Amino acid sequence: MSSSASTPDFEGPIAVVILAAGKGTRMRSALPKVLHEIGGAPMLHHAMDAALGLAPARMAVVVGHGAEAVAAAARAKVPDVAICAQEQQLGTAHAVLTAEPALEGFEGEVIVLYGDTPFVELETMQRLRRERGEHGLMVLGFEAEEPGRYGRLILNNSGLDRIVEAKDATPQQLAVTTCNSGVMLGDCALILKLLANVSNDNAQGEFYLTDLPALAAEQGVTTGVVLCDEAETAGINDRLELSDAERRFQVHAREEAMRAGATLIAPETVFFSADTVLAPDVVVEPNVIFGPGVRVAEGARIRAFSHLEGADVGTNAIVGPYARLRPGTHLAADARIGNFVEIKNAEIGEGAKANHLTYVGDASVGPGANLGAGTITCNYDGFSKHRTEIGAGAFVGVNTALIAPVTLGDGAYVATGTVITQDVPEDGLAIARTPQQNREGSAKRLRQVLAARKAKQKE
Ligand code: UD1
Ligand code: MG
């Protein structure tokens, strides 16, 4: 067995507590604030994702408003996450205390994060751990452009003396611009012990987590401070901040994609989801949207105005322009999906083509098959969905309806304009259309009759 681990584990176990019980009044929404999405994922998932990078031994999410929906979203990300219900939102200290049962018997560090602060980076959390040294607690702060209602960090020689909430601050304290992000880290047993001593004797009548550094100091325990960029700790409180967060997420995602080796011809017009994966040498043309669950393999090209969601795109495949890939789409290497083609829940084999005006749903298309313009799988009868199987190297002529369930064997050939209602055997030719008749001179005679009729109506 190899003894080398990719991340050194010298810091010991850590538990994560994410506060997500608040109402988010300013969102003016029936949806709990932390479930509003950034990059197609609830903001809660962004916070959880970053925390998962710490490989935590335990993770707890404190829920209150919209508890069931928030709990379900948390479990969707981390199935064994501890859900801690905070019936009344009595303050951030009370919220962390709500997670006490989930921390029972845990020995190590605990980090407190907010569900509505989705951009705190893993590296920043690791810095809090690394720089803790002899400090009992660590607080993440930032230099605020507009300190406003943030808690102020009152520093002393050894680190942090105390945090003062804006509503409780003196004018001199309000002049301090170093503010509290809300992220706090420390020894779990110490934090739980200190939390028990927090009172709500303050301007807001709340139990403040921010009382911990002063309470620690009374016991001779010091608190250290790490500063990060203000943008990293920005909380989201209303729809304007949400759109700003989305914009920042997209800027970051585009940069990451390009650093990882994708070409974005007009990056500002390409929109990513939190889980989009582009391999090196993918080219994305302008105006492309990646919904959740998309992976694109090396050398593939996503042409302009395409919309992809829940899709795997194989090596060197070409998608678009104007293509729509819906969930369950798997394109093998070298597949070609052209303009105004929609694919849903279907495997498209290596080198297979559907280049124009086609719908392929609940289907598998064999390698090298060619679907002509206007090929439609009729997968839904109003009650159930049915599958269409198209064999390797099959050729489907234009304007063909394939009424599922139906199978075209390998090498089958379907004549243009055919409505397929029965299976076609391997290498068989299917044709189902009324034979054409040409009547000599009939068009001329018809025009004369129609013209005469119109002249009579005008009299
Ligand atoms: C808090 C900090 C403040 C800091 C600011 C940074 C306190 C007392 N103040 O203030 O120093 O500058 O964050 O944004 O901690 N929550 C619960 N249950 C509760 C109360 C809050 O789960 O009972 C959650 C909220 O949903 C939110 C987070 O905790 O995600 C912070 O609460 P919030 O009310 O926004 O605190 P601030 O007043 O912003
Ligand atoms: Mg807040």
Side-chain angles (χ1 to χ4, degrees):
M1 244 176 79
S2 160
S3 61
S4 70
S6 54
T7 38
D9 193 29
F10 56 85
E11 288 153 319
I14 186 163
V16 174
V17 175
I18 300 178
L19 307 189
K23 182 151 187 243
T25 313
R26 284 181 278 160
M27 294 300 284
R28 298 190 187 279
S29 176
L31 191 68
K33 174 159 82 172
V34 294
L35 299 188
H36 282 266
E37 292 182 352
I38 298 168
M43 59 176 102
L44 176 64
H45 284 191
H46 291 262
M48 292 175 82
D49 259 330
L52 283 172
L54 294 168
R58 299 189 195 185
M59 185 182 279
V61 176
V62 178
V63 301
H65 284 281
E68 272 179 39
V70 176
R75 288 198 183 99
K77 183 92 214 164
V78 176
D80 63 349
V81 66
I83 302 295
C84 307
Q86 187 193 23
E87 306 291 342
Q88 278 184 294
Q89 282 68 62
L90 302 179
T92 45
H94 179 259
V96 177
L97 212 44
T98 307
E100 189 171 13
L103 298 171
E104 205 187 316
F106 176 74
E107 287 178 26
E109 288 180 328
V110 62
I111 186 166
V112 178
L113 305 171
Y114 294 170
D116 63 356
T117 308
F119 294 128
V120 179
E121 286 173 21
L122 174 62
E123 167 56 22
T124 302
M125 299 183 213
Q126 283 166 338
R127 260 170 64 213
L128 284 168
R129 303 199 79 186
R130 273 204 306 275
E131 294 179 24
R132 197 181 124 200
E134 299 299 307
H135 294 301
L137 297 173
M138 292 296 286
V139 164
L140 180 64
F142 63 101
E143 279 303 322
E145 203 161 309
E146 290 175 35
R149 35 156 223 95
Y150 288 118
R152 304 298 202 272
L153 301 189
I154 311 300
L155 303 172
N156 61 24
N157 292 338
S158 63
L160 182 65
D161 185 55
R162 57 179 54 239
I163 305 174
V164 181
E165 288 304 296
K167 286 188 177 152
D168 301 290
T170 64
Q172 290 99 312
Q173 289 169 332
L174 282 177
V176 171
T177 55
T178 312
C179 291
N180 174 32
S181 71
V183 177
M184 192 180 284
L185 173 135
D187 176 73
C188 183
L190 171 73
I191 285 184
L192 291 175
K193 191 175 83 179
L194 295 174
L195 280 173
N197 296 327
V198 173
S199 82
N200 63 353
D201 182 15
N202 53 52
Q204 303 190 82
E206 284 184 13
F207 295 90
Y208 290 164
L209 183 62
T210 45
D211 282 356
L212 260 49
L215 290 171
E218 284 171 16
Q219 311 203 2
V221 176
T222 60
T223 300
V225 172
V226 160
L227 295 181
C228 72
D229 204 57
E230 177 161 12
E232 214 180 311
T233 68
I236 293 159
N237 297 296
D238 61 27
R239 309 269 181 165
L240 297 181
E241 287 171 357
L242 183 67
S243 74
D244 194 49
E246 180 71 36
R247 186 185 54 73
R248 290 196 290 124
F249 167 82
Q250 294 299 343
V251 168
H252 183 73
R254 290 163 191 150
E255 287 174 4
E256 294 275 283
M258 291 186 279
R259 286 208 181 89
T263 292
L264 308 186
I265 292 171
E268 65 285 1
T269 68
V270 176
F271 294 84
F272 289 100
S273 284
D275 61 355
T276 308
V277 181
L278 303 188
D281 292 322
V282 166
V283 177
V284 183
E285 294 184 5
N287 295 299
V288 170
I289 295 180
F290 294 97
V294 177
R295 305 179 71 89
V296 182
E298 278 183 21
R301 188 173 186 102
I302 312 299
R303 306 197 63 190
F305 295 100
S306 293
H307 187 286
L308 295 80
E309 184 180 3
D312 288 335
V313 176
T315 312
N316 296 329
I318 298 179
V319 174
Y322 298 99
R324 180 168 183 208
L325 304 186
R326 291 174 53 204
T329 294
H330 300 278
L331 306 185
D334 299 311
R336 298 274 182 277
I337 302 302
N339 40 271
F340 306 106
V341 174
E342 174 180 345
I343 313 278
K344 183 214 77 169
N345 189 29
E347 294 84 47
I348 309 296
E350 191 171 333
K353 295 178 186 165
N355 271 332
H356 342 260
L357 302 159
T358 286
Y359 172 63
V360 180
D362 303 309
S364 77
V365 176
N370 189 331
L371 308 187
T375 298
I376 306 291
T377 55
C378 310
N379 60 323
Y380 185 51
D381 56 19
F383 294 88
S384 311
K385 302 279 171 64
H386 303 283
R387 284 194 64 83
T388 300
E389 312 285 342
I390 297 175
F395 181 92
V396 179
V398 303
N399 198 28
T400 294
L402 303 164
I403 301 182
V406 74
T407 298
L408 309 185
D410 290 351
Y413 195 107
V414 178
T416 288
T418 293
V419 175
I420 288 287
T421 55
Q422 300 166 34
D423 291 354
V424 181
E426 192 179 318
D427 289 323
L429 170 73
I431 179 164
R433 58 192 186 206
T434 22
Q436 180 174 329
Q437 300 174 1
N438 286 342
R439 299 185 196 166
E440 290 282 336
S442 279
K444 197 174 178 183
R445 283 194 295 282
L446 179 63
R447 275 189 215 105
Q448 286 164 350
V449 169
L450 295 176
R453 192 181 291 167
K454 191 167 181 183
K456 202 169 176 196
Q457 278 169 353
K458 279 187 180 162
E459 277 171 11

